[in-house]
């Protein structure tokens, strides 16, 4: 049967903006309402731009896997290309494939597990600065730790000055670019507006800092254990290596894709555990039995089922990447409807992961036990997809799982977190799912 040429059902919007205001006001709430009211495939509009929301696992699989070659990343992802360049997250086609093949060996399971001792050591050092009764913002603290871990394991960077220069330059460039996302009209990049000049200066500064990091990597002769050393040594089938520009783009991409996402997993973990003492106690019991106070090693990682269940449940309720988008490169079919070339299809983990069809009558409840009896094998693959799927699945998912489990167990054996009684915990969905007002808490020593 030919696809229905009509649009899938969806909310009414205003003439000029479409549904953009509803989206910018509530983001996840907007997607939840759209899925609930209009079903597994809905449509809406941002200004002239036509968008779909796919909420059924089969439709998500069709976009991410079956029809993957006919989709590219959506317009929002392209907005960050001044920072990310042609790195793995933003590149397309043959170029992306070549880069993915060159990078993949650095993410082999055995390589990833070899970073566990570095993660453990940096976490121990980080904890040396903590004491019982300290008041912290959990999100800020774990962003700092995962940033230190990323800069060391990705680039071999220890120097505090280099680290701070990189983080500051990146923050400036990213804040400027993020503010462009929700605008329908923005001046073209070549126009010398005040904002464009600031973006240009911020990116020039960032490029300088990254060039320095890459030069340091080359000085070490590519012999280090970090990801950069592995990218420096990587050779294509024709023997060619990555150019400096490619190295810059991949370095930036890995850092950006790889540290805040893991920091959020940890921050939301401590928040949820602080609210669920029974789950926290079970976790502590698992660590006592398996680790007995030791910082976990790579060998321990397969022996911590409750830790894995907690992390799966945290990423179900608070998926660090809560939205994925793809743009059709030709007219396609999806769920019986036509997807015109240029249409963006969104898939929202924050909606899918709370779908009662797959997560039962309590989809909003934090219950790690639900993962212990084989739930992952019973639900469709794309009912739960914190790391995306298909050819563009997260290349760092094994790294993230290792890092989160090591840090959680290393920290959790020593400290608990008591949330401030007047804390307001709310989400701020930007590219990742941030806690809007942070997660203010007091540290309590476990021993
Ligand atoms: C809990 C932590 C993490 C989460 C939830 C996460 C999530 C994701 C998701 C959903 C995608 C797919 C985006 C799309 O399809 O448009 C992705 C892609 C990617 N992630 Fe992650 N990520 C995490 C950690 C990491 C780490 C640690 C690294 C690097 C070491 C990393 C590097 C990347 C890269 C390079 C891509 C692009 C892959 C490609 O398109 O070939 N991520 N991530």
């Amino acid at each position: 049967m030919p696809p229905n040429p009509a649009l899938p059902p969806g909310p009414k919007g205003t003439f000029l903006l479409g549904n953009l205001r509803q989206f910018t006001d509530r983001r996840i709430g907007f997607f939840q309402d759209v899925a609930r009211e209009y079903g597994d495939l809905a449509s809406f509009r941002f200004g002239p731009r036509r968008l779909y929301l796919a909420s059924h696992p089969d439709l998500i699989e069709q976009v991410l896997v079956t029809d993957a070659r006919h989709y590219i990343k959506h317009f929002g992802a392209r907005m960050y290309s001044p920072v990310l360049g042609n790195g793995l997250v933003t590149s397309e086609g043959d170029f992306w494939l070549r880069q993915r093949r060159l990078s993949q060996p650095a993410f082999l399971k055995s390589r990833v597990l070899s970073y566990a001792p570095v993660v453990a050591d940096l976490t121990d050092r980080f904890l040396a600065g903590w004491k019982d009764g300290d008041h912290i913002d959990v999100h800020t603290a774990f962003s700092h730790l995962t940033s230190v871990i990323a800069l060391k394991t990705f680039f071999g960077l220890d120097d505090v000055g280099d680290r701070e220069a990189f983080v500051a330059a990146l923050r400036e460039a990213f804040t400027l670019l993020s503010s462009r996302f929700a605008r329908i009209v923005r001046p073209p990049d070549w126009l010398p507006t005040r904002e464009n000049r600031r973006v240009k200066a911020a990116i020039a500064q960032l490029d300088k800092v990254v060039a320095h990091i890459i030069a340091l990597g080359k000085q070490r002769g590519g012999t280090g254990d970090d990801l950069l050393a592995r990218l420096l040594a990587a050779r294509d089938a024709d023997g060619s290596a990555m150019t400096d520009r490619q190295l810059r783009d991949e370095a930036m991409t890995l850092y950006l894709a790889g540290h805040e996402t893991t920091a959020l997993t940890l921050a939301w973990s401590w928040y949820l555990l602080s609210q669920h003492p029974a789950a926290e106690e079970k976790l502590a019991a698992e660590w006592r039995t398996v680790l007995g106070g030791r910082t976990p090693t790579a060998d321990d990682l397969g022996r911590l089922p409750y830790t894995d269940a907690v992390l799966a449940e945290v990423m179900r309720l608070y998926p660090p990447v809560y939205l994925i988008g793809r743009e059709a490169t030709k007219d396609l079919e999806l769920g019986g409807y036509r997807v015109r070339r240029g249409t963006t299809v969104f898939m929202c983990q924050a909606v899918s992961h709370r779908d009662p069809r797959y997560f039962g009558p309590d989809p909003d409840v934090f219950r790690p036990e639900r993962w212990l009896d084989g739930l992952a094998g019973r639900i469709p693959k794309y009912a739960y997809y914190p790391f995306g799927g298909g050819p563009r699945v997260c290349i760092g998912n094994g790294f993230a799982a290792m890092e989160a489990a090591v840090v959680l167990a290393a920290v959790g054996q020593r400290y608990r977190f008591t949330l401030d009684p007047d804390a307001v915990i709310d989400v701020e969905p930007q590219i990742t799912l941030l806690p809007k007002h942070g997660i203010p808490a007091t540290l309590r020593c476990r021993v």
Side-chain angles (χ1 to χ4, degrees):
M1 216 168 58
N4 186 345
L7 287 168
K12 275 210 167 5
T14 59
F15 172 66
L16 207 61
L17 294 180
N19 308 92
L20 188 65
R21 186 58 56 71
Q22 292 151 277
F23 166 74
T24 47
D25 283 353
R26 297 177 54 240
R27 288 208 181 194
I28 291 177
F30 169 70
F31 288 129
Q32 276 164 342
D33 291 351
V34 168
R36 195 170 39 237
E37 283 171 39
Y38 302 99
D40 285 333
L41 189 67
S43 71
F44 51 94
R45 203 161 52 77
F46 290 172
R49 201 184 288 280
R50 179 58 61 193
L51 303 108
Y52 289 4
L53 176 68
S55 304
H56 190 283
D58 292 348
L59 302 183
I60 295 166
E61 181 160 8
Q62 188 173 334
V63 177
L64 292 182
V65 187
T66 325
D67 288 345
R69 66 188 184 287
H70 302 308
Y71 284 99
I72 54 172
K73 294 279 174 111
H74 72 297
F75 64 101
R78 291 201 291 273
M79 215 98 132
Y80 294 94
S81 50
V83 170
L84 299 174
N86 241 346
L88 275 180
V89 167
T90 35
S91 58
E92 300 288 351
D94 290 346
F95 186 88
W96 163 79
L97 189 61
R98 175 177 183 268
Q99 289 298 99
R100 178 102 190 186
R101 286 197 180 130
L102 279 175
S103 308
Q104 200 74 55
F107 291 92
L108 285 173
K109 191 169 178 200
S110 56
R111 295 252 164 112
V112 164
L113 289 180
S114 74
Y115 295 116
V118 185
V119 172
D121 176 50
L122 292 171
T123 308
D124 285 345
R125 283 198 237 169
F126 168 76
L127 290 178
W130 279 10
K131 61 179 186 323
D132 189 64
D134 279 358
H135 188 257
I136 62 163
D137 174 60
V138 177
H139 175 224
T140 312
F142 284 94
S143 290
H144 176 74
L145 175 60
T146 58
S147 169
V148 170
I149 291 174
L151 292 173
K152 175 69 186 167
T153 53
F154 299 176
F155 312 141
L157 207 68
D158 300 290
D159 184 273
V160 180
D162 286 344
R163 203 159 66 206
E164 282 171 3
F166 178 73
V167 173
L170 195 58
R171 188 177 301 132
E172 166 79 356
F174 225 69
T175 308
L176 288 168
L177 289 175
S178 298
S179 69
R180 294 172 164 189
F181 183 69
R183 292 200 210 136
I184 301 187
V185 186
R186 64 180 177 94
D189 293 348
W190 51 263
L191 215 76
T193 60
R194 188 166 168 272
E195 187 190 77
N196 279 348
R197 283 201 311 270
R198 282 183 67 195
V199 170
K200 234 175 136 181
I203 288 165
Q205 172 61 17
L206 189 57
D207 286 348
K208 212 170 106 190
V209 177
V210 177
H212 173 64
I213 294 175
I214 292 173
L216 290 176
K218 284 188 171 166
Q219 266 170 32
R220 290 194 301 272
T223 52
D225 255 347
D226 49 277
L227 290 180
L228 177 63
R230 290 180 175 155
L231 296 183
L232 278 167
R235 291 292 176 272
D236 213 347
D238 66 5
S240 59
M242 286 192 201
T243 63
D244 276 4
R245 178 72 210 184
Q246 284 165 304
L247 285 166
R248 173 247 181 243
D249 292 350
E250 294 307 353
M252 207 86 89
T253 296
L254 286 180
Y255 178 81
L256 271 174
H259 101 279
E260 184 60 20
T261 40
T262 314
L264 286 168
T265 307
L266 290 161
W268 289 120
S269 296
W270 296 122
Y271 161 62
L272 286 165
L273 290 167
S274 77
Q275 303 304 293
H276 296 85
E280 196 195 24
E281 190 36 53
K282 265 191 176 175
L283 203 50
E286 176 170 277
W287 294 332
R288 264 195 306 276
T289 313
V290 179
L291 305 172
R294 278 186 299 111
T295 301
T297 64
D299 291 339
D300 295 315
L301 292 179
R303 301 192 293 134
L304 298 167
Y306 198 70
T307 307
D308 293 342
V310 164
L311 290 169
E313 186 69 345
V314 169
M315 286 194 285
R316 185 180 72 79
L317 290 174
Y318 292 93
V321 176
Y322 64 96
L323 186 67
I324 301 184
R326 293 288 189 271
E327 187 176 298
T329 54
K330 63 177 215 173
D331 286 0
L332 295 164
E333 178 278 335
L334 186 64
Y337 287 91
R338 177 182 300 165
V339 182
R340 283 190 189 284
R341 179 168 171 252
T343 301
T344 292
V345 183
F346 276 137
M347 292 141 283
C348 182
Q349 288 98 326
V351 171
S352 305
H353 289 186
R354 292 179 186 231
D355 190 330
R357 288 177 291 187
Y358 311 108
F359 299 101
D362 62 351
D364 296 330
V365 175
F366 176 70
R367 196 167 57 79
E369 289 71 18
R370 74 175 79 235
W371 295 101
L372 293 176
D373 68 346
L375 175 68
R378 287 196 308 278
I379 55 175
K381 188 155 180 220
Y382 289 95
Y384 179 74
Y385 52 108
F387 295 105
R392 309 293 302 242
V393 69
C394 176
I395 201 170
N397 58 6
F399 191 100
M402 173 277 292
E403 181 181 1
V406 169
V407 175
L408 199 72
V411 174
Q413 290 187 96
R414 276 171 262 183
Y415 289 100
R416 286 184 296 112
F417 299 78
T418 310
L419 193 70
D420 283 9
D422 55 353
V424 179
I425 303 298
D426 214 344
V427 292
E428 165 94 53
Q430 292 186 3
I431 302 182
T432 48
L433 196 59
L434 304 171
K436 191 170 194 170
H437 315 285
I439 301 179
T442 303
L443 299 176
R444 296 286 170 222
C445 242
R446 249 188 211 287
V447 279

